[in-house]
């Protein structure tokens, strides 16, 4: 089965999930399977081996009800590189505007024949809901402020490549913690791998939901700077807020923006990541975003590898479950 890419090895016995809804539900072992397989796809990508036939004859639909640049494109590319065809559903030009429900939309798309749906929606839980109504694999590409599992995976893969084992490493997640699905997926994944996580942001944007997971909280970036090995700089999710959480962008940037002066106070080999889109001059100054410590574009390449691994694994599990 893996003749295309022998390094993938046999399909992992312990991978049994035909859907990927979040990192919260994964065991540490499942998380490691995903990261290891993603690394195989990343190595192949770097060596110029980019086209495989694992999912040949399959169709994958990207069902996005919110905007996206990286996630949607990389899922479409991942499908194509695995030999599948990818079809994009665009909410704004669909019959949703005529009153069709999300579930009916998904059932109709599945009736045309597809093996996976990549779902992004502003309401938490929509991907989970769809698993109860369709037979294809459902992959969560971001559900409201709940989870964005493939972003969490690509962030962690990038950290693992640069820092090795993450056990005992300290990761600061900075910014709009309260509304960020990326922060949630990072927290679930990183804690399972033994990393220390510090959520840092203004009091109005920090949710204490993970206290029981052992996540630390801080409202002062300057305080945590000397301790962190990685900073994940989040965007402020204005689209999920009804009132302004701080007096001005300039003030936010002054207190929580990463700039050249703050780099001097940090560990010498601090790794800077950001999920994108970045707002230059707000959470990161251009010299930091484009500087040697930033892995932002490398994250994007890892995103493709992660999505190939997720599609390969969930499809393998689906085939096994549906053949029983
Ligand atoms: N692209 C990420 C997401 O969809 C982060 C962001 O939008 O700021 O959650």
């Amino acid at each position: 089965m893996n003749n295309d890419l022998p390094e993938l090895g046999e399909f992992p016995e312990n991978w049994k999930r035909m859907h990927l809804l979040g990192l919260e539900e994964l065991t540490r072992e499942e998380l490691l399977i995903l990261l290891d397989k993603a690394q195989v796809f990343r190595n192949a990508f770097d060596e110029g081996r980019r086209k495989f036939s694992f999912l040949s004859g399959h169709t994958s639909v990207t069902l996005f009800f919110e905007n996206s640049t990286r996630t949607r494109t990389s899922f479409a590319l991942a499908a194509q590189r695995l030999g599948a065809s990818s079809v994009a559903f665009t909410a704004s030009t669909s019959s949703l505007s005529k009153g069709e429900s999300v579930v009916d939309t998904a059932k109709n798309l599945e009736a045309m024949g597809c093996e996976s749906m990549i779902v992004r929606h502003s309401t938490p839980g929509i991907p989970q809901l769809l698993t109860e109504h369709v037979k294809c694999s459902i992959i969560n590409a971001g559900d409201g402020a709940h989870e964005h599992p493939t972003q969490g995976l690509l962030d962690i893969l990038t950290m693992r490549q640069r820092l090795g084992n993450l056990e005992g490493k300290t990761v600061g997640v900075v910014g709009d913690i309260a509304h960020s699905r990326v922060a949630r997926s990072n927290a679930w994944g990183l804690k399972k791998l033994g990393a220390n996580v510090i959520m840092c942001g203004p009091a109005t944007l920090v949710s204490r939901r993970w206290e029981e997971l052992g996540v630390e909280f801080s409202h002062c970036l300057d305080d945590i700077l000397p301790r962190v090995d990685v900073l994940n700089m989040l965007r402020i999710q204005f689209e999920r807020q009804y009132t302004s959480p701080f007096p001005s962008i300039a003030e936010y940037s002054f207190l929580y923006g990463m700039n050249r002066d703050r780099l001097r106070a940090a560990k010498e080999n601090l790794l800077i990541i950001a999920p994108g889109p970045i707002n230059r001059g707000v959470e990161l100054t251009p010299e930091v975003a484009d500087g040697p410590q930033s892995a932002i574009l490398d994250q994007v390449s890892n995103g493709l590898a992660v999505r190939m691994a997720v599609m390969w694994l969930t499809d393998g599990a689906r085939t096994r479950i549906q053949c029983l």
Side-chain angles (χ1 to χ4, degrees), residues 70-71 120 141 148 151 181-182 235 237 239-240 275-277:
R70 285 148 288 271
T71 308
R120 171 171 284 192
H148 191 349
Q151 179 72 48
R181 51 197 178 205
V182 177
R235 181 180 67 91
Q237 312 257 313
E239 69 274 27
R240 301 191 208 290

Side-chain angles (χ1 to χ4, degrees), residues 68-228:
S68 168
T69 300
R70 285 148 288 271
T71 308
R72 185 172 181 150
T73 312
S74 62
F75 266 115
L77 264 180
Q80 286 165 20
R81 291 187 178 180
L82 291 169
S85 43
S86 173
V87 175
F89 161 88
T90 309
S92 56
T93 54
S94 75
S95 286
L96 283 174
S97 58
K98 300 179 187 169
E100 190 163 48
S101 72
V102 176
V103 169
D104 281 332
T105 304
K107 282 164 114 173
N108 277 268
L109 292 169
E110 188 178 51
M112 295 179 218
C114 69
E115 281 72 27
S116 64
M117 273 183 209
I118 319 299
V119 182
R120 171 171 284 192
H121 201 283
S122 56
T123 304
I126 290 288
Q128 159 80 51
L129 174 74
L130 293 183
T131 63
E132 292 157 25
H133 295 276
V134 295
K135 293 190 184 63
C136 64
S137 288
I138 298 288
I139 299 169
N140 181 2
D143 60 334
H146 174 229
E147 278 229 38
H148 191 349
T150 55
Q151 179 72 48
L153 287 166
L154 75 89
D155 291 344
I156 293 171
L157 184 66
T158 307
M159 295 180 213
R160 235 176 49 146
Q161 288 165 351
R162 308 276 176 131
L163 306 176
N165 186 351
L166 296 181
E167 188 94 41
K169 297 286 187 315
T170 301
V171 180
V173 184
V174 181
D176 186 355
I177 310 298
H179 302 96
S180 173
R181 51 197 178 205
V182 177
R184 282 173 166 72
S185 292
N186 267 248
W188 287 117
L190 286 165
K191 289 308 290 181
K192 280 173 200 193
L193 298 182
N196 307 313
V197 179
I198 310 176
M199 299 287 185
C200 177
T204 45
L205 290 179
V206 172
S207 139
R208 299 198 163 254
R209 165 138 196 253
W210 302 283
E211 227 147 22
E212 78 269 19
L213 260 183
V215 168
E216 272 182 62
F217 295 92
S218 165
H219 300 305
C220 182
L221 177 56
D222 293 319
D223 275 358
I224 70 164
L225 263 185
R227 291 174 55 203
V228 291

